[in-house]
Amino acid sequence: MTRNFFIAQLIIALIMLAYFKELTLLSYINSSFLIGGTITFIGLVIFVFSTGFFDVFTVTMRKMLTPKRRMEDVMSMRTPSEIFSAPVFPFLGTGALVLIVMGIGLVIFYI
């Protein structure tokens, strides 16, 4: 997780230089919010898919939209929870850590 955190910090620094063209605390806060929020969002999407939340909806839509003669093919298809089996903790942990550091920077900015 620390390797992912340092990679995220490197991406934040690159965004600061490429987009904001300055190394200030405000540009760090803005960049880290974008990167931390994106990583956390990806982790939450993987979590929702891997827990089986969309399995019932997917199977129901497959049954409803498929002709009767192809129903055996539909029943043999994998569900989204079987497809998305990526580990969730590295995404959520790294995203939360980046957002915590961003929050510390935000407190320092307003003091």
Side-chain angles (χ1 to χ4, degrees), residues 39-100:
I39 293 171
T40 305
F41 179 74
I42 290 170
L44 290 174
V45 167
I46 292 172
F47 175 74
V48 167
F49 274 104
S50 66
T51 56
F53 183 76
F54 290 109
D55 287 352
V56 174
F57 174 75
T58 305
V59 170
T60 304
M61 292 306 290
R62 286 179 187 167
K63 286 180 180 178
M64 196 169 80
L65 298 175
T66 305
K68 296 276 186 195
R69 65 182 181 273
R70 297 193 56 219
M71 196 57 68
E72 290 180 18
D73 296 335
V74 171
M75 296 308 288
S76 65
M77 290 181 181
R78 294 189 303 175
T79 59
S81 64
E82 294 172 352
I83 296 170
F84 290 105
S85 61
V88 178
F89 180 72
F91 288 102
L92 292 179
T94 303
L97 194 57
V98 169
L99 290 175
I100 288 170

Side-chain angles (χ1 to χ4, degrees), residues 9 12 16 27-38 95 98-99 101-103:
Q9 294 302 313
I12 289 168
M16 286 170 57
S27 63
Y28 175 80
I29 291 168
N30 291 332
S31 300
S32 62
F33 177 74
L34 290 174
I35 298 301
T38 302
V98 169
L99 290 175
V101 172
M102 181 220 53

